[in-house]
Amino acid sequence: YSGTGTICTGALPVSLSSFTGSTDKRTVTLMWVTEWELNNSGFDVERANVTSSGADEWKKIAFVQGNGTSNVSNGYLFKDEKLKAGTYKYRLKQIDFNGNYEYFSLESDVIVSPPAVFSISQNYPNPSNPKSKIDFEIPVNGRVVLKVYDILGKEVLNIIDEIKEAGYYS
């Protein structure tokens, strides 16, 4: 049996010594270390949203290449960026070159908190073109109005005028 109870035939493909997650605003950084690897193709990174009724289904969000067969410790890093405020679960699906796999789950849920202050970023690209992006954060539910003005102060476009929940937006 592997660490999560899945049945494996033969030797386990990796010895995972740590799997941790941390947050910085809207970014979750996952880090894990293997002590050794045998025939390791890589890791599917999977995420599930946690709601009041439980966790949603798992979704693959990335693949991180493994190191094949290795007798030394290897470190891995994955950043899940631009998440909405909420609670998430993460797990790794380690896959060997034969198609065998095993799961490693992050022990605790990861919480992406709503922003603490009102913030709006510079548009990108700048100078602007017909397709421009503006990120903004609101710490409380409320009405959001976002307008574009020309250099003379004349309103050119009303982008948003609606009630929004606290969170991160583009």
Side-chain angles (χ1 to χ4, degrees), residues 1-165:
Y1 289 91
S2 73
T4 58
T6 55
I7 297 174
C8 299
T9 57
L12 295 177
V14 301
S15 173
L16 197 72
S17 61
S18 71
F19 180 28
T20 60
S22 63
T23 60
D24 180 24
K25 287 191 172 190
R26 305 171 50 173
T27 300
V28 172
T29 302
L30 301 175
M31 295 177 287
W32 62 99
V33 176
T34 62
E35 290 303 311
W36 50 263
E37 301 178 26
L38 177 65
N39 202 28
N40 182 21
S41 173
F43 303 87
D44 283 344
V45 179
E46 298 181 351
R47 178 183 66 213
N49 296 351
V50 178
T51 61
S52 57
S53 59
D56 288 344
E57 65 182 60
W58 290 98
K59 293 181 182 152
K60 176 183 171 182
I61 57 172
F63 178 78
V64 177
Q65 188 74 37
N67 283 295
T69 298
S70 172
N71 291 327
V72 297
S73 186
N74 292 294
Y76 296 90
L77 178 110
F78 173 76
K79 290 189 177 206
D80 194 8
E81 300 177 316
K82 299 197 179 194
L83 293 165
K84 293 187 177 191
T87 304
Y88 300 93
K89 290 184 174 295
Y90 287 91
R91 71 181 181 187
L92 301 173
K93 180 180 181 182
Q94 185 281 315
I95 306 166
D96 69 18
F97 287 110
N98 299 328
N100 297 322
Y101 62 89
E102 64 178 321
Y103 286 101
F104 298 96
S105 295
L106 195 58
E107 288 186 17
S108 58
D109 294 348
V110 175
I111 298 171
V112 175
S113 300
V117 296
F118 290 96
S119 174
I120 187 165
S121 69
Q122 175 67 47
N123 66 304
Y124 178 82
N126 186 14
S128 186
N129 63 32
K131 289 189 177 194
S132 190
K133 181 173 142 182
I134 301 171
D135 294 328
F136 62 97
E137 307 172 2
I138 55 174
V140 295
N141 298 351
R143 182 171 174 227
V144 175
V145 178
L146 185 60
K147 297 179 180 185
V148 176
Y149 294 88
D150 67 15
I151 198 162
L152 300 174
K154 179 180 172 191
E155 183 180 323
V156 176
L157 181 64
N158 185 4
I159 299 173
I160 295 174
D161 186 355
E162 61 188 56
I163 303 295
K164 293 276 192 187
E165 290 186 18

